[in-house]
Amino acid sequence: MSLWAIVPVKSLRRGKSRLAGVLTDEERSALNQDLLIKTLMCLKTIQKIDQILVISYDPEALAKARELDVMTVQEGSKTNINNALRRATVAARAYNASKVIIIPADLPFIDKEEMESFLAQEGEPPEIIISSDRHSEGTNALFINPIGILEYNFGPWSFRKHIEQAERKKIKVKIKNMESLTFDLDVPEDLEIFMNTSKINK
Protein backbone atom coordinates (compact mmCIF):
# COMPACT_ATOMS: atom_id res chain seq x y z
CA MET A 1 0.00 0.00 0.00
CA SER A 2 1.80 3.07 -1.27
CA LEU A 3 1.18 6.55 0.16
CA TRP A 4 2.05 9.55 -1.97
CA ALA A 5 2.19 13.16 -0.82
CA ILE A 6 1.09 15.61 -3.51
CA VAL A 7 2.23 19.22 -3.13
CA PRO A 8 0.65 21.78 -5.47
CA VAL A 9 2.82 24.86 -5.99
CA LYS A 10 1.97 28.20 -7.58
CA SER A 11 4.58 30.43 -9.20
CA LEU A 12 7.38 31.21 -6.74
CA ARG A 13 7.62 34.74 -8.13
CA ARG A 14 3.92 35.48 -8.45
CA GLY A 15 2.50 33.41 -5.60
CA LYS A 16 1.20 34.99 -2.41
CA SER A 17 -0.09 38.01 -4.34
CA ARG A 18 -2.05 39.17 -1.29
CA LEU A 19 1.28 39.88 0.39
CA ALA A 20 2.35 42.22 -2.40
CA GLY A 21 1.51 45.25 -0.27
CA VAL A 22 4.06 44.30 2.40
CA LEU A 23 6.69 42.31 0.48
CA THR A 24 8.57 43.03 -2.74
CA ASP A 25 8.45 40.53 -5.61
CA GLU A 26 11.93 39.32 -4.63
CA GLU A 27 10.92 38.88 -1.00
CA ARG A 28 7.79 36.95 -1.96
CA SER A 29 9.83 34.71 -4.25
CA ALA A 30 12.34 34.00 -1.49
CA LEU A 31 9.54 33.31 1.01
CA ASN A 32 7.75 30.94 -1.36
CA GLN A 33 10.97 29.06 -2.07
CA ASP A 34 11.77 28.75 1.64
CA LEU A 35 8.26 27.45 2.35
CA LEU A 36 8.50 24.90 -0.46
CA ILE A 37 11.88 23.63 0.72
CA LYS A 38 10.70 23.38 4.33
CA THR A 39 7.58 21.47 3.28
CA LEU A 40 9.47 18.98 1.13
CA MET A 41 12.23 18.44 3.69
CA CYS A 42 9.63 17.73 6.37
CA LEU A 43 7.70 15.28 4.18
CA LYS A 44 10.91 13.44 3.27
CA THR A 45 11.48 12.58 6.96
CA ILE A 46 8.12 10.82 7.36
CA GLN A 47 8.48 7.08 6.89
CA LYS A 48 4.83 6.45 6.04
CA ILE A 49 5.17 8.61 2.92
CA ASP A 50 6.60 6.53 0.09
CA GLN A 51 6.88 9.23 -2.55
CA ILE A 52 6.45 12.99 -2.90
CA LEU A 53 5.16 14.63 -6.05
CA VAL A 54 5.19 18.36 -6.76
CA ILE A 55 2.88 19.72 -9.44
CA SER A 56 3.34 23.24 -10.78
CA TYR A 57 3.41 25.26 -13.99
CA ASP A 58 6.46 27.12 -12.62
CA PRO A 59 9.77 25.69 -13.98
CA GLU A 60 11.64 27.26 -11.05
CA ALA A 61 9.50 25.44 -8.49
CA LEU A 62 9.84 22.15 -10.38
CA ALA A 63 13.62 22.54 -10.61
CA LYS A 64 13.87 23.20 -6.88
CA ALA A 65 11.79 20.08 -6.17
CA ARG A 66 14.01 17.96 -8.40
CA GLU A 67 17.09 19.28 -6.57
CA LEU A 68 15.57 17.72 -3.46
CA ASP A 69 15.04 14.39 -5.27
CA VAL A 70 11.26 14.82 -5.47
CA MET A 71 9.11 13.72 -8.41
CA THR A 72 7.49 16.47 -10.46
CA VAL A 73 4.62 16.93 -12.89
CA GLN A 74 4.49 19.94 -15.19
CA GLU A 75 1.09 21.53 -15.59
CA GLY A 76 0.29 22.04 -19.25
CA SER A 77 -0.66 25.64 -18.55
CA LYS A 78 -1.67 27.80 -15.63
CA THR A 79 -4.83 26.20 -14.28
CA ASN A 80 -6.77 25.98 -11.05
CA ILE A 81 -5.60 23.87 -8.14
CA ASN A 82 -8.28 21.20 -8.54
CA ASN A 83 -7.35 20.50 -12.17
CA ALA A 84 -3.70 20.42 -11.17
CA LEU A 85 -4.40 17.93 -8.40
CA ARG A 86 -6.42 15.71 -10.72
CA ARG A 87 -3.46 15.64 -13.11
CA ALA A 88 -1.07 14.80 -10.28
CA THR A 89 -3.37 12.06 -9.01
CA VAL A 90 -3.45 10.43 -12.44
CA ALA A 91 0.35 10.40 -12.40
CA ALA A 92 0.47 8.92 -8.89
CA ARG A 93 -2.00 6.18 -9.83
CA ALA A 94 0.13 5.31 -12.85
CA TYR A 95 2.89 4.49 -10.36
CA ASN A 96 0.48 2.36 -8.29
CA ALA A 97 -0.14 4.83 -5.47
CA SER A 98 -2.96 3.47 -3.33
CA LYS A 99 -3.57 6.54 -1.14
CA VAL A 100 -2.60 10.20 -1.14
CA ILE A 101 -2.18 13.15 1.17
CA ILE A 102 -2.52 16.64 -0.27
CA ILE A 103 -0.29 19.20 1.46
CA PRO A 104 0.02 22.83 0.33
CA ALA A 105 3.45 24.45 0.27
CA ASP A 106 2.54 27.39 2.49
CA LEU A 107 2.50 25.90 5.98
CA PRO A 108 5.40 27.67 7.74
CA PHE A 109 5.08 25.65 10.95
CA ILE A 110 4.79 22.21 9.33
CA ASP A 111 6.13 19.69 11.82
CA LYS A 112 7.27 16.07 11.50
CA GLU A 113 5.70 14.88 14.75
CA GLU A 114 2.33 16.49 14.05
CA MET A 115 2.33 15.17 10.49
CA GLU A 116 2.99 11.69 11.83
CA SER A 117 0.18 12.14 14.37
CA PHE A 118 -2.14 13.21 11.55
CA LEU A 119 -1.29 10.14 9.47
CA ALA A 120 -1.55 7.87 12.52
CA GLN A 121 -5.32 8.38 12.40
CA GLU A 122 -5.48 6.10 9.37
CA GLY A 123 -7.98 3.28 9.71
CA GLU A 124 -9.92 1.14 7.27
CA PRO A 125 -10.83 2.51 3.83
CA PRO A 126 -12.81 4.19 2.47
CA GLU A 127 -11.91 7.21 4.56
CA ILE A 128 -10.53 10.72 4.56
CA ILE A 129 -8.56 12.54 7.24
CA ILE A 130 -8.79 16.30 6.99
CA SER A 131 -7.40 19.42 8.64
CA SER A 132 -8.87 22.87 8.16
CA ASP A 133 -7.11 26.20 8.20
CA ARG A 134 -7.35 28.24 11.41
CA HIS A 135 -10.56 29.88 10.17
CA SER A 136 -12.23 26.48 9.54
CA GLU A 137 -12.76 27.48 5.91
CA GLY A 138 -9.95 26.04 3.78
CA THR A 139 -8.41 22.57 3.65
CA ASN A 140 -4.78 22.46 4.77
CA ALA A 141 -4.25 18.69 4.74
CA LEU A 142 -6.31 16.00 3.05
CA PHE A 143 -5.59 12.26 3.29
CA ILE A 144 -7.60 10.08 0.91
CA ASN A 145 -7.75 6.28 1.10
CA PRO A 146 -8.09 4.79 -1.41
CA ILE A 147 -6.87 7.21 -4.02
CA GLY A 148 -9.52 8.69 -6.28
CA ILE A 149 -12.63 8.32 -4.09
CA LEU A 150 -13.01 12.07 -3.49
CA GLU A 151 -13.23 14.90 -6.00
CA TYR A 152 -10.96 17.80 -5.14
CA ASN A 153 -12.86 20.93 -4.19
CA PHE A 154 -10.18 23.34 -3.02
CA GLY A 155 -11.17 26.99 -2.91
CA PRO A 156 -13.66 28.94 -0.77
CA TRP A 157 -15.13 26.80 2.03
CA SER A 158 -13.31 23.70 0.81
CA PHE A 159 -13.14 22.20 4.31
CA ARG A 160 -16.92 21.99 4.53
CA LYS A 161 -17.30 20.94 0.88
CA HIS A 162 -14.84 18.05 1.21
CA ILE A 163 -16.59 16.78 4.34
CA GLU A 164 -20.08 17.09 2.82
CA GLN A 165 -18.95 15.25 -0.32
CA ALA A 166 -17.42 12.44 1.74
CA GLU A 167 -20.58 12.09 3.82
CA ARG A 168 -22.72 11.88 0.67
CA LYS A 169 -20.47 9.10 -0.62
CA LYS A 170 -20.54 7.22 2.72
CA ILE A 171 -16.82 7.80 3.21
CA LYS A 172 -15.63 7.92 6.81
CA VAL A 173 -14.41 11.38 7.86
CA LYS A 174 -11.82 12.06 10.55
CA ILE A 175 -11.08 15.68 11.44
CA LYS A 176 -7.57 16.18 12.82
CA ASN A 177 -6.74 19.86 13.22
CA MET A 178 -3.09 20.06 14.19
CA GLU A 179 -1.69 23.46 15.15
CA SER A 180 1.12 23.29 12.61
CA LEU A 181 -1.29 22.37 9.82
CA THR A 182 -3.99 24.96 10.46
CA PHE A 183 -1.73 27.98 10.00
CA ASP A 184 -0.98 29.07 6.43
CA LEU A 185 0.45 32.25 4.99
CA ASP A 186 -2.09 34.14 2.90
CA VAL A 187 -2.54 37.72 4.08
CA PRO A 188 -0.38 40.34 5.85
CA GLU A 189 -1.92 39.42 9.22
CA ASP A 190 -0.63 35.85 8.77
CA LEU A 191 2.82 37.11 7.89
CA GLU A 192 2.93 39.29 11.00
CA ILE A 193 1.98 36.35 13.23
CA PHE A 194 4.61 34.18 11.53
CA MET A 195 7.35 36.78 11.91
CA ASN A 196 6.52 37.44 15.57
CA THR A 197 6.42 33.72 16.36
CA SER A 198 9.73 33.16 14.58
CA LYS A 199 11.36 35.89 16.67
CA ILE A 200 10.05 34.34 19.90
CA ASN A 201 11.35 30.88 18.92
CA LYS A 202 14.86 32.14 18.12
Side-chain angles (χ1 to χ4, degrees), residues 135-191:
H135 306 292
S136 298
E137 296 176 4
T139 302
N140 278 10
L142 179 62
F143 172 87
I144 302 173
N145 182 22
I147 189 171
I149 58 171
L150 198 76
E151 281 292 315
Y152 300 118
N153 209 338
F154 286 87
W157 299 106
S158 67
F159 180 64
R160 182 179 68 194
K161 290 176 181 178
H162 283 133
I163 291 173
E164 289 175 349
Q165 181 193 161
E167 290 174 342
R168 286 196 306 272
K169 293 181 175 181
K170 311 299 183 187
I171 298 167
K172 293 189 293 292
V173 176
K174 296 177 182 176
I175 298 172
K176 184 69 172 176
N177 287 334
M178 313 295 295
E179 185 176 358
S180 67
L181 295 177
T182 58
F183 186 88
D184 49 13
L185 277 177
D186 281 327
V187 296
E189 177 193 353
D190 300 331
L191 182 62

Side-chain angles (χ1 to χ4, degrees), residues 25-83:
D25 290 350
E26 291 75 17
E27 288 171 334
R28 281 168 40 224
S29 177
L31 174 63
N32 288 328
Q33 180 169 290
D34 287 348
L35 290 171
L36 173 60
I37 292 170
K38 182 171 185 178
T39 299
L40 298 182
M41 293 302 293
C42 176
L43 295 176
K44 285 170 70 71
T45 66
I46 299 169
Q47 288 190 343
K48 287 193 73 168
I49 295 176
D50 300 293
Q51 185 59 265
I52 305 166
L53 187 154
V54 166
I55 181 160
S56 180
Y57 63 87
D58 180 6
E60 189 178 357
L62 296 173
K64 182 57 62 177
R66 286 192 290 269
E67 285 177 16
L68 297 174
D69 197 28
V70 168
M71 289 189 67
T72 61
V73 171
Q74 170 82 55
E75 288 183 56
S77 60
K78 185 176 179 180
T79 184
N80 67 53
I81 185 173
N82 297 308
N83 288 337

Side-chain angles (χ1 to χ4, degrees), residues 90-127:
V90 169
R93 292 179 85 164
Y95 284 91
N96 296 317
S98 58
K99 44 198 173 182
V100 294
I101 179 169
I102 310 301
I103 293 288
D106 63 351
L107 306 179
F109 300 125
I110 190 168
D111 176 83
K112 178 179 186 279
E113 286 72 27
E114 290 201 350
M115 279 295 305
E116 289 175 336
S117 178
F118 181 88
L119 290 171
Q121 305 304 306
E122 179 183 354
E124 292 297 317
E127 68 171 348

